[in-house]
Amino acid sequence: MSLVAKRSLGRLSIKSTAFLLCDVQEKFRSGIHAFESVVQVSQKMSAASKILQIPLLVTEQYPRGLGATASEIPIDHAVINEAKTKFSMMTPGVTAKLEELQTKSVVLYGIEAHVCVMQTCLDLLDLNFDVHVLADGVSSMNYPEADIALKRMALCGAHVVSSESVIFQLTNDSKHPNFPAIRDLVKEHQEAGRQNKLLFKTAQL
């Protein structure tokens, strides 16, 4: 079998996918590069998870000191919202929930890209999950570190993608019963997407 044949194409199915929102917390608001872009993508993905009925799993790093998830992001429908001290999201609770849901593919976004997001990604890959990291939804205090982390995650086998690409891949067909709601969601976030500093880094420098 060729190397090309062995490589995962990163196909996504609603029935076997989960969204992982990593540590987008209030205390990071002033320190993270393009925090508002991470929040906007997180809002879009939370809405998509509701529309498509895809499980949303949330973690918060030491919330007593770093605060709760940013208030603009709706997470009331999350199947788990777990406080942690470990950098990776893969706590026993999150790992058990993914197993319970029979998850095969994970869409990962949040902060910081080179710490908690990357360690989560590596743990997921180690457990043979298909990992999709949102390039427009991850950041760090120093943005070059996010770029370095995205390159490493891709080299290790993760798919580095955009939020809109993932949403349309999951919907798959304009005949999907939830496509009108997805189309409206994409339109709602279109202008904010054009201002996303994580997609348009060069223009922002």
Side-chain angles (χ1 to χ4, degrees), residues 90 98-99 103-106 123-125 127-131:
M90 296 304 286
L98 289 172
E99 290 175 359
T103 303
K104 294 180 181 177
S105 301
V106 165
D123 284 348
L124 286 162
L125 291 170
L127 293 168
N128 296 316
F129 286 96
D130 195 30
V131 184

Side-chain angles (χ1 to χ4, degrees), residues 33-143:
H33 172 73
F35 185 84
E36 68 280 3
S37 295
V38 177
V39 168
Q40 181 265 321
V41 168
S42 299
Q43 289 173 317
K44 179 166 60 172
M45 298 308 291
S46 284
S49 75
K50 276 188 176 181
I51 293 167
L52 299 174
Q53 298 184 345
I54 292 172
L56 172 66
L57 291 78
V58 179
T59 60
E60 295 171 348
Q61 180 74 17
Y62 186 59
R64 190 168 71 176
L66 298 173
T69 299
S71 57
E72 308 97 308
I73 305 171
I75 58 169
D76 55 296
H77 62 295
V79 296
I80 189 171
N81 182 4
E82 187 155 282
K84 65 182 179 69
T85 55
K86 181 180 180 179
F87 296 131
S88 172
M89 290 183 74
M90 296 304 286
T91 63
V94 170
T95 303
K97 181 58 70 173
L98 289 172
E99 290 175 359
E100 177 190 322
L101 294 166
Q102 298 184 317
T103 303
K104 294 180 181 177
S105 301
V106 165
V107 178
L108 176 62
Y109 49 101
I111 55 181
E112 285 189 75
H114 66 296
V115 184
C116 297
V117 173
M118 190 180 73
Q119 291 188 34
T120 301
C121 176
L122 297 180
D123 284 348
L124 286 162
L125 291 170
D126 225 10
L127 293 168
N128 296 316
F129 286 96
D130 195 30
V131 184
H132 300 250
V133 183
L134 300 187
D136 56 340
V138 299
S139 191
S140 296
M141 290 187 182
N142 301 312
Y143 75 85

